[in-house]
Every structure is written in C-alpha cells, then in structure tokens.
Amino acid sequence: MSKRSIRDFKEKSMKSLFFIGGITTILVLLLIFVFLFAEALNFFKTYSLIEFFTGTQWMPGASPERFGILPLLAGSVIVTAGAIIIAVPIGILSAIYIAELAGPRTAGILKPAVELLAGIPSVVLGFFGLVILVPHIQSIFNLTTGQTALTGSIILAIMALPTIISVSEDAISSVPSALKQGSFALGSNHWQTIYKVIVPASISGISAAIILGIGRAIGETMAVMMVTGNMAIIPGSDLFLSSVRTITATIALEMGEVARGTEHYFALFAIGAVLFVMTIGVNLIAEAIKRKHRLEA
Amino acid sequence: MSGQNQTPEKGKTEKNRTEKLMKRNTAYKKRQNLYQKIAFSLMRLAVVVTMAVLIIIIGDIILKGYPAISIGFLTQMPTNQMTEGGILPAIVGTIQLVILSLLVAVPLGIITAVYLAEYAADGKVKRIIEQAVNNLAGTPSVVFGLFGMALFVMYLGLPLSLLTASLTMGLLIMPVIIRTAQEALIAVPKEYREASAALGVTKWETIRRVILPSAFSGMITGIIISTGRAAGETAPILFTGAVFFYPRLPDSVFSPFMALSYHLFVMATESINIELTREIQYGTALVLLAIVFSMNLIAVGIRRHYKKKSFSSH
Amino acid sequence: MNATKSENAFSFADTLNGENEFDSDEDDFESENEIEFENEIEFENETEFENENSGEPAPSFSTGKVKKKIIEVKDLDLWYGNNHALKNISIGIPKNKVFAFIGPSGCGKSTFLRTMNRMNDMISNCRIEGEIYIDNENIYAKETDVNDLRKRVGMVFQKANPFPMSIYDNVAYGPRIHGVSKKKIPGIVEESLKGAALWKEVKDRLKDSAFSLSGGQQQRLCIARTLAVKPEIILFDEPCSALDPISTRKIEELITKLKKEYTIIIVTHNMQQAARISDYTAFFLSGELVETGKTVHIFENPQDERTEGYITGRFG
C-alpha cells in the first residue's frame, strides 16, 4: 500500500508539473501583453490617444515632440503590401509546381532548398540587400538612394516566400487524389484540374499561407531596417520608390538610444503594442481560416 | 471524345454535326493545352526565380566571405577599432547565447509539449495553450526584445547581459520547440501506450521509458532548428545585452556580450568605415550562415536517418 | 458417448473449416475432445447453463461445488457517451481454461474484454455500472489499484505491438519498472521467452531490435512480455487477426499450452479458432451476452436461435 501511495504521489506530482509547464506559455503571452500595455498606458497619460493615431509626424527630437504613428504605419503597410504582391504569385506557383509537377526527386531537392531559404537569418538578408540590391535599385530607377520601400518589399518577399510555399504546398498536397482523378476522368487536362479542382479545394490552406506570410513580413525588423532608408514620412506619389520607416525599424533604431522613463521611451512601447495587436490579429485570422479548412476536410 | 461513339450508319447531317463537334472539341483542347503550357512555364519560372534567389544570396556570401576566413579571423579579438582582427568574441558570444537560450527553452518547451500531447484532454485548456503557442510563434522578434527589456532589465533589474538576452531569446524559440516536440510525441503509436498500460505501468513511467525515447529524434530535430534560429535572430538581443564591442570574452552570465548577428548589423550600418570593413562583414555573414545552415543540415540528416530506420524496421 | 462426440466434432470441423485450413485440424480436435470428455462430469454438476438456456442471465457466484470461477461479472453496463455498448452482462470465467468471446464486429466482445483489466479507463467518455470480481475482489471498487490489476490481468493485442527496443528489453520492460531486482531479470526474460515458445528462435539475438522479428514472432514476443510480469489471467484481443495461418497455428498451440498455468480469455472473430482452442464460449450480439457455455455445446447445440444463426453463418 505504501509503495502504491508513493507511486500515486509521483504520478500526481508529474501531472501537476506538466500542467504548470503547459500554463507557462499562456503566462508568457499574458506577460508580454501586460508589460507592453502597461508601458503604453504611461505614454497615453501625457500624450493624446487621438493625436497618436492620427498624427502624421514622428519627430522624437523636435520640440514639442511629435509621436504620430501614421507615417510608421504607412511604412509597414506599404513594405508589406509590396512584399505580398511579389511573393504571393511566385510562392503559390512554386508550391503548385512542387506539389503537382515535380517528381519525387526534384521535390526532394526543392523542399529542403525552401527550408534553407527560410533559415537565412534576417540580418544576413538585410546585409545582402544593403550591399547588392540597394545600389542596383538606385541605378535602375536613377534615384539619389536605393534604400526604398521597394527594396524592403523585395527583401521581405524573399523572407515571406518560404512560409507561403511550404504552407500552401502542404494544403495542395493534402487534396484527396480521388478529386483529382475524378477531374482527369472527365477529360480535363492537368492545368484545368489544377485551377478548377485542386486550387479551389485547397484555397483556405493557401489563404492561411498568404496571411502567415503577411504576419511574417509585418513583424520583420532587421532586414527591413537595413534597406528602407528609415525616413519617417508618409510617401507621396513615388510610393514604392521613396524611403520609408516601419514600426519595427523605429523600435529597433530608437530603443537603444532613448532615455528610460521618458515620453519617447513609452511611445516606443505604444507602437510596439500596436504591432503586437496587429500580428495577433493576423494570427487569429490565419487560425480561423485553417480551422475552417479542417472542418471542410 | 463525344463524337467517337457515333456510328457511320447514322444520317449525313448527324455525321456533319459530329465532325463539327470534334473540330470544335480539338480546337478547345488545343487552346486548353496552350493555357496549360503557359501556366506550367510560369510555374517553372517561379521555381527558377526562388532557387536563383537562394543561390545568388548564398553564392554571394560564400564567394565574398571566403577570402576573409582564416584561422586568425576565427580566433582573434577585433583590433584597431574593429577595422582589423578577428571576430572571436562574437563567435563565442553567439555560442553562449544559443546554449543558454536552449537551457531556458528546451525544458519549458518539452514539458509543455508533453502536457499537450499526453496529459491535456481535448478541451478549453488545451485549445487556449495551443492558441498561445501559435500567437507566441507569430509575435515579432522585436516585440520579444521590448518585452525582455521591460521584464528582465527594467522590472527585475537584471544587468544587460548574456543572461537577459538568453532569457529573451529562449522565450522566442520556445514555440518552435513546443510544436516540433508535440508533433514528435503525437507520432508515437498509440499501441505503445496501450501495451505499456496493459503491463500495469503508470502513465509517467510509460512516458519516461517508452514515449520520450521514441519521440527523441523528432524532438532533437526541433531543438536543432531552433538553435539555428537563436543564432540568427538579432532584434531580440538589440536592447537586452548584446553590445557593439566588448574587449573580453564574457566571463559570467552577467557580462555583456558580442554576437555574430549584431556584429554584422553594426559593422554594415554604423561602423567607423563601412566600405573598408566590407570583407570583415562578409566574413561574419559567412560564419553566421555556416552555423545556421550546418544546424539545419544536421536536423535534416537526423530526420532522414530516423525515417530510414523506421521504414526498415516495420 | 465419446465416439458420438468426436464424430460430431469432425463433421463440425469439416463444415466450418472448408478445405483451406490446416491438415492436422482433426488431430487437434481429437485431443481437445479427450480433455473435454474428462471435464464433462464436472459440467453435469453445474446448474448455471440450464439457467442460461432458459434465457435468464445466471448470477453465478462460486457455490463451492462448482469448480472455482476466477472472474465473476455481475450486471455490467457500459456506455460510450450515449451509446449503450454493453448491456447487463453477467458471466463467470473458470480458472485455467480458455474462454472464447465470439460475435460479429461491433458486438461489444472486445469492449467487454477490456473491462477486465480496465483498459477502458483510457477512453475519456466511457462509463461503467456493475461489478467485476477477480478472486472475489471488485476491480471497480475505489481502493483497487489499476496498475496492480493490470499486472495480474495481462493483455495481448490485435496487432503485435512490441516497443522500439531490443527483444531482451521488451521482455525485461515490465519487471524492471515493477522493481524486480536486477539479478533476477535475465532469468525472468529466459523463462518468459520459453513460456512463449520463442526462446529457441531468439536466444542468440536478444539484443536485436524487436522489429527484426516476423509478425508471428512479434506477437509471441508480446506474449512473453506479458508473461514476464507474472499475470494470473491473460486477455487475448483477436491475437491472430493480422497473422498468416502458420503463425496463427503456433499462437493457438501456445494458448492451449498456457492454460495449464493461466486463465485465458480470447476474443476472436474466427469461429473455427474458438472451436479449436477454447473450452468455453460466450456469444455476444449488439452489446448483449446472448449465450454462454461449453464450447462443444455452443457450437453443436446452441439454445438461442441467434447463436445458431451466427454459427451457421447466416449473419455476422
């Protein structure tokens, strides 16, 4: 009996240990939330919420200091949008190729290659962009600087590509072959089968891939910061060819220098909180789409 | 296709119509096959572009970084205001950072994964934890940096050091470890659990003696991949302990440190003479890339080995 | 008496087995029948099967004059959620005999088997009412230790499920965890492998992976693994359904041998198998225990028309 009670006690304590471990993830997420928002609230004690969200100038050094998030938001949105415009067609076409056309050996090379691309550290990509891409953009478009939103978009597209490829490839590969065979049996050729049967059947998986790609692009810091020029202004008609500054780059650039406890310091937490909410939103959308996909299947 | 079933005995009009249909059909088919040709060429082009990007980037880093690599570069301290010398402290710092972050992330991650895969019943708690893991995985690295600074440095008052950076980086890589470990655990056949239970073995003993060993290689893969991630990430350590220059190797977890990723960033954007130190920058990038890729390769190797083993054994 | 019985058995074997079964079936039946005959006298003294035949499920506690029942099941009901999977089952299992549960798939025979070592505890929405006594101890009582129970009531599964370890470690797994001293383990491993008729085949490669064995050998390894924790009762859940005829035959021979030391309950969808190896048979249909009794009686002279229908192959 005593042997049994020792064993039961051990079982119970292990169970509690694993439960506590499991809870830590929730705790970490909550802590991130609390710390970001606590510091952000400090900011709104002295700075108007409306001015923050509608202000078109981000000028920490000026007097009075201006902390309008719009130029940074514009920077993030433009760079991300550009990245998605580039990465989505290339990514989805590549995914279809890997899932549908490539033989097992080719796929066996392409898949690890995509993983390799995903493994390149963002700072290395940023460095490559800075040294190789920036001068090219400058000379092609005849600009004073090659550090533009377009440059950022290209680098971000490279970063989002692996996510888009691997997630949509999974979705496409999981389409039941019976559906495919049904289409072939009706005399459709391979391409008709792909765009009339396979892509519609995997559309929620592909959408989730795109949204996850957006999430990855919006949150990316180092690579963007190194190639976009970091001018905190809302771009005019030259949109992609102007220098921009994203939310992430602003935090990374200014947090190192700022004096702690100042309005500027809290302002950086405020834009951090906005970024956090944006990425959580993107994640939740991707989750919802994936769940819907699972229910459909 | 539809026309082929018609027999010649049918009337002439019928025959004409059939021919017309067949003609239209072949025209339609021709057009569809042309579309297919175009679509497939676009797909091939997309793959070529993707692969070209990969090859150009890696090729550029290797070709221009290779001349910088020497034993001195890997084993010496930087000299002359970082314009000469080696990158030893950055290499050592990165390795220390990676090991310490693993010490944070591996136990927590595996415990969470075991809870999710073995203990948690399907229900609210499990769903919330999984949701939290997903959200953590999607949280931008710079936000982790902000959080790490606010919690470890500002709130807990720890010095900017290896410790604070590793804690932050550990939390960042934890979701990767949880997900891969959970997948590896779920892949362990249900039969093992039944067989062990039927021998009167408790749940924890079963987990310890059968399930964890069976899931080991899958979990190792995840850990190695996260190792590469920890070595490459920069944003989380920007304001939690990495420094531009520290003349000694870190002697305790409380000392500031240099890291390859941060070193590359600073050298490429803010150093004394960006153009002059280009070679050092490329060398640093190559070393970083080599560390990350060799980790990925090891992970792929383990996965392949394991797959082969499990195929031959059944 | 003896003569008529074996004649019946032969004709039965012929009709059921067709031509595709083993050549030596008839020998087996003969030997079975000899044992059967010896037991016959005991059987005459029992009253429970008469009750059974009159349609009343017999509460069959050991009455002293009946040979000892090691398991007594009383009014057992089981639900998976709202699905009433076992309905008011009462049955007694005699010691050192092979007891077969037969019935069409989904009839609850495997579910019932799993109530005896409480494997159904692992299913979250499973609910049980009623009692199962093993050695006069209610295994569903609060103070029962499930792990001790499962040590006493071993189980062999449908698909051979060795652990991804060496042959030796598979067998040593149970004793090691249950704290048997290190010195004794090699002896237990050898003894168990011998008990499972596997020792000769593996004694020179105990360190090899269990997966290097054939399907039938793996299943015998699983039996050895079960023997190593020294159970009193062994539950077999369709142990041959994934095996070829030759491996099946070996397992069947083994089961017949094992009943000298263990009480055996086997679930099978293969009626010939039940007829070949079991002393007693219970027929289940949609969660009900339709009929139970000596195997010969169930197969030759079923009282319930549903049993007869199943045995003669009208459904199932």
Short mmCIF file of all heavy atoms in Angstrom, two decimals, chain A residues 154-186:
data_model
loop_
_atom_site.label_atom_id
_atom_site.label_comp_id
_atom_site.label_asym_id
_atom_site.label_seq_id
_atom_site.Cartn_x
_atom_site.Cartn_y
_atom_site.Cartn_z
N ILE A 154 11.18 43.77 -51.66
CA ILE A 154 11.85 42.63 -52.29
C ILE A 154 12.47 41.71 -51.23
O ILE A 154 12.30 40.49 -51.25
CB ILE A 154 12.93 43.11 -53.29
CG1 ILE A 154 12.25 43.84 -54.46
CG2 ILE A 154 13.75 41.93 -53.81
CD1 ILE A 154 13.21 44.52 -55.41
N ILE A 155 13.18 42.33 -50.28
CA ILE A 155 13.82 41.53 -49.23
C ILE A 155 12.78 40.81 -48.39
O ILE A 155 12.90 39.61 -48.07
CB ILE A 155 14.73 42.43 -48.35
CG1 ILE A 155 15.92 42.94 -49.17
CG2 ILE A 155 15.21 41.67 -47.12
CD1 ILE A 155 16.88 41.86 -49.62
N LEU A 156 11.70 41.53 -48.05
CA LEU A 156 10.63 40.90 -47.27
C LEU A 156 9.96 39.78 -48.06
O LEU A 156 9.56 38.77 -47.49
CB LEU A 156 9.57 41.92 -46.88
CG LEU A 156 9.83 42.69 -45.60
CD1 LEU A 156 8.59 43.49 -45.22
CD2 LEU A 156 10.16 41.72 -44.46
N ALA A 157 9.83 39.99 -49.37
CA ALA A 157 9.23 38.94 -50.20
C ALA A 157 10.07 37.67 -50.12
O ALA A 157 9.54 36.57 -50.01
CB ALA A 157 9.12 39.41 -51.65
N ILE A 158 11.38 37.83 -50.13
CA ILE A 158 12.27 36.67 -50.01
C ILE A 158 12.05 35.97 -48.67
O ILE A 158 12.04 34.75 -48.58
CB ILE A 158 13.74 37.10 -50.17
CG1 ILE A 158 13.96 37.66 -51.58
CG2 ILE A 158 14.68 35.92 -49.91
CD1 ILE A 158 15.35 38.26 -51.78
N MET A 159 11.80 36.79 -47.63
CA MET A 159 11.59 36.19 -46.32
C MET A 159 10.23 35.51 -46.21
O MET A 159 10.07 34.52 -45.50
CB MET A 159 11.70 37.26 -45.23
CG MET A 159 13.02 37.96 -45.22
SD MET A 159 13.34 38.66 -43.62
CE MET A 159 13.56 37.20 -42.65
N ALA A 160 9.21 36.08 -46.89
CA ALA A 160 7.86 35.51 -46.79
C ALA A 160 7.68 34.31 -47.70
O ALA A 160 6.82 33.46 -47.46
CB ALA A 160 6.82 36.58 -47.10
N LEU A 161 8.49 34.24 -48.75
CA LEU A 161 8.36 33.15 -49.74
C LEU A 161 8.34 31.75 -49.12
O LEU A 161 7.42 30.97 -49.41
CB LEU A 161 9.51 33.22 -50.75
CG LEU A 161 9.20 33.73 -52.16
CD1 LEU A 161 10.44 33.63 -53.02
CD2 LEU A 161 8.06 32.95 -52.79
N PRO A 162 9.31 31.40 -48.27
CA PRO A 162 9.31 30.03 -47.75
C PRO A 162 8.03 29.70 -46.98
O PRO A 162 7.50 28.59 -47.12
CB PRO A 162 10.52 30.02 -46.80
CG PRO A 162 11.38 31.13 -47.24
CD PRO A 162 10.48 32.17 -47.81
N THR A 163 7.55 30.66 -46.17
CA THR A 163 6.30 30.41 -45.45
C THR A 163 5.17 30.12 -46.42
O THR A 163 4.43 29.15 -46.28
CB THR A 163 5.92 31.66 -44.60
OG1 THR A 163 7.06 32.06 -43.86
CG2 THR A 163 4.77 31.36 -43.68
N ILE A 164 5.04 31.00 -47.43
CA ILE A 164 3.94 30.84 -48.39
C ILE A 164 4.08 29.53 -49.14
O ILE A 164 3.12 28.77 -49.29
CB ILE A 164 3.92 32.04 -49.36
CG1 ILE A 164 3.59 33.31 -48.58
CG2 ILE A 164 2.90 31.81 -50.47
CD1 ILE A 164 3.61 34.57 -49.41
N ILE A 165 5.29 29.22 -49.59
CA ILE A 165 5.48 27.99 -50.36
C ILE A 165 5.15 26.76 -49.51
O ILE A 165 4.35 25.92 -49.90
CB ILE A 165 6.92 27.87 -50.90
CG1 ILE A 165 7.19 28.96 -51.93
CG2 ILE A 165 7.15 26.49 -51.53
CD1 ILE A 165 8.61 28.95 -52.49
N SER A 166 5.75 26.68 -48.31
CA SER A 166 5.59 25.40 -47.60
C SER A 166 4.17 25.21 -47.09
O SER A 166 3.64 24.10 -47.15
CB SER A 166 6.63 25.25 -46.49
OG SER A 166 6.56 26.33 -45.63
N VAL A 167 3.54 26.30 -46.61
CA VAL A 167 2.17 26.12 -46.12
C VAL A 167 1.21 25.80 -47.26
O VAL A 167 0.36 24.91 -47.15
CB VAL A 167 1.69 27.35 -45.31
CG1 VAL A 167 0.26 27.16 -44.84
CG2 VAL A 167 2.60 27.57 -44.11
N SER A 168 1.34 26.51 -48.40
CA SER A 168 0.39 26.17 -49.48
C SER A 168 0.72 24.83 -50.11
O SER A 168 -0.18 24.12 -50.56
CB SER A 168 0.27 27.26 -50.56
OG SER A 168 1.30 28.15 -50.56
N GLU A 169 1.98 24.47 -50.14
CA GLU A 169 2.32 23.15 -50.68
C GLU A 169 1.67 22.04 -49.85
O GLU A 169 1.12 21.08 -50.40
CB GLU A 169 3.85 22.98 -50.71
CG GLU A 169 4.34 21.86 -51.60
CD GLU A 169 4.62 20.59 -50.82
OE1 GLU A 169 5.11 20.68 -49.68
OE2 GLU A 169 4.32 19.51 -51.35
N ASP A 170 1.70 22.22 -48.53
CA ASP A 170 1.01 21.27 -47.65
C ASP A 170 -0.46 21.17 -48.01
O ASP A 170 -1.02 20.08 -48.11
CB ASP A 170 1.12 21.72 -46.18
CG ASP A 170 2.38 21.20 -45.53
OD1 ASP A 170 3.05 20.38 -46.17
OD2 ASP A 170 2.67 21.62 -44.40
N ALA A 171 -1.08 22.35 -48.17
CA ALA A 171 -2.52 22.37 -48.46
C ALA A 171 -2.82 21.69 -49.79
O ALA A 171 -3.76 20.91 -49.91
CB ALA A 171 -3.02 23.81 -48.46
N ILE A 172 -2.00 21.98 -50.80
CA ILE A 172 -2.25 21.41 -52.12
C ILE A 172 -2.03 19.90 -52.10
O ILE A 172 -2.80 19.15 -52.66
CB ILE A 172 -1.32 22.08 -53.17
CG1 ILE A 172 -1.71 23.55 -53.33
CG2 ILE A 172 -1.41 21.37 -54.51
CD1 ILE A 172 -0.69 24.38 -54.05
N SER A 173 -0.97 19.46 -51.41
CA SER A 173 -0.68 18.03 -51.37
C SER A 173 -1.76 17.26 -50.63
O SER A 173 -1.93 16.06 -50.85
CB SER A 173 0.66 17.77 -50.68
OG SER A 173 1.68 18.40 -51.39
N SER A 174 -2.49 17.94 -49.74
CA SER A 174 -3.48 17.21 -48.95
C SER A 174 -4.82 17.10 -49.65
O SER A 174 -5.76 16.53 -49.11
CB SER A 174 -3.64 17.85 -47.56
OG SER A 174 -4.20 19.12 -47.69
N VAL A 175 -4.93 17.65 -50.86
CA VAL A 175 -6.17 17.46 -51.63
C VAL A 175 -6.29 15.98 -51.99
O VAL A 175 -5.35 15.40 -52.53
CB VAL A 175 -6.16 18.33 -52.91
CG1 VAL A 175 -7.37 18.00 -53.78
CG2 VAL A 175 -6.16 19.80 -52.56
N PRO A 176 -7.42 15.36 -51.68
CA PRO A 176 -7.55 13.92 -51.94
C PRO A 176 -7.36 13.60 -53.42
O PRO A 176 -7.88 14.30 -54.29
CB PRO A 176 -8.99 13.60 -51.53
CG PRO A 176 -9.48 14.77 -50.78
CD PRO A 176 -8.64 15.94 -51.13
N SER A 177 -6.63 12.53 -53.70
CA SER A 177 -6.33 12.22 -55.10
C SER A 177 -7.59 11.78 -55.83
O SER A 177 -7.66 11.84 -57.06
CB SER A 177 -5.26 11.14 -55.18
OG SER A 177 -5.74 9.97 -54.56
N ALA A 178 -8.63 11.36 -55.08
CA ALA A 178 -9.88 10.96 -55.73
C ALA A 178 -10.48 12.14 -56.50
O ALA A 178 -10.99 12.00 -57.61
CB ALA A 178 -10.87 10.47 -54.67
N LEU A 179 -10.39 13.34 -55.88
CA LEU A 179 -10.90 14.55 -56.55
C LEU A 179 -10.18 14.76 -57.87
O LEU A 179 -10.78 15.07 -58.89
CB LEU A 179 -10.65 15.76 -55.66
CG LEU A 179 -11.73 16.14 -54.65
CD1 LEU A 179 -11.33 17.41 -53.91
CD2 LEU A 179 -13.05 16.35 -55.36
N LYS A 180 -8.85 14.60 -57.79
CA LYS A 180 -8.02 14.82 -58.97
C LYS A 180 -8.36 13.83 -60.06
O LYS A 180 -8.58 14.19 -61.21
CB LYS A 180 -6.56 14.61 -58.55
CG LYS A 180 -5.64 15.73 -58.86
CD LYS A 180 -4.31 15.48 -58.20
CE LYS A 180 -3.31 14.91 -59.16
NZ LYS A 180 -1.98 14.77 -58.54
N GLN A 181 -8.44 12.56 -59.65
CA GLN A 181 -8.73 11.52 -60.63
C GLN A 181 -10.10 11.73 -61.26
O GLN A 181 -10.29 11.51 -62.46
CB GLN A 181 -8.67 10.14 -59.96
CG GLN A 181 -7.24 9.68 -59.77
CD GLN A 181 -7.10 8.66 -58.67
OE1 GLN A 181 -8.09 8.19 -58.12
NE2 GLN A 181 -5.87 8.32 -58.33
N GLY A 182 -11.05 12.20 -60.43
CA GLY A 182 -12.38 12.48 -60.95
C GLY A 182 -12.32 13.49 -62.07
O GLY A 182 -12.96 13.33 -63.13
N SER A 183 -11.49 14.53 -61.87
CA SER A 183 -11.36 15.56 -62.88
C SER A 183 -10.69 15.02 -64.15
O SER A 183 -11.15 15.28 -65.27
CB SER A 183 -10.57 16.74 -62.32
OG SER A 183 -10.23 17.62 -63.34
N PHE A 184 -9.64 14.22 -63.95
CA PHE A 184 -8.96 13.63 -65.11
C PHE A 184 -9.91 12.72 -65.88
O PHE A 184 -9.93 12.69 -67.11
CB PHE A 184 -7.73 12.82 -64.66
CG PHE A 184 -6.54 13.66 -64.39
CD1 PHE A 184 -5.84 13.56 -63.19
CD2 PHE A 184 -6.09 14.59 -65.34
CE1 PHE A 184 -4.74 14.35 -62.94
CE2 PHE A 184 -4.98 15.38 -65.09
CZ PHE A 184 -4.32 15.26 -63.88
N ALA A 185 -10.73 11.99 -65.12
CA ALA A 185 -11.64 11.04 -65.75
C ALA A 185 -12.65 11.75 -66.64
O ALA A 185 -13.18 11.17 -67.58
CB ALA A 185 -12.36 10.23 -64.68
N LEU A 186 -12.93 13.03 -66.34
CA LEU A 186 -13.87 13.78 -67.17
C LEU A 186 -13.18 14.37 -68.40
O LEU A 186 -13.77 15.13 -69.15
CB LEU A 186 -14.51 14.90 -66.36
CG LEU A 186 -15.47 14.41 -65.27
CD1 LEU A 186 -15.90 15.55 -64.38
CD2 LEU A 186 -16.67 13.73 -65.90
#
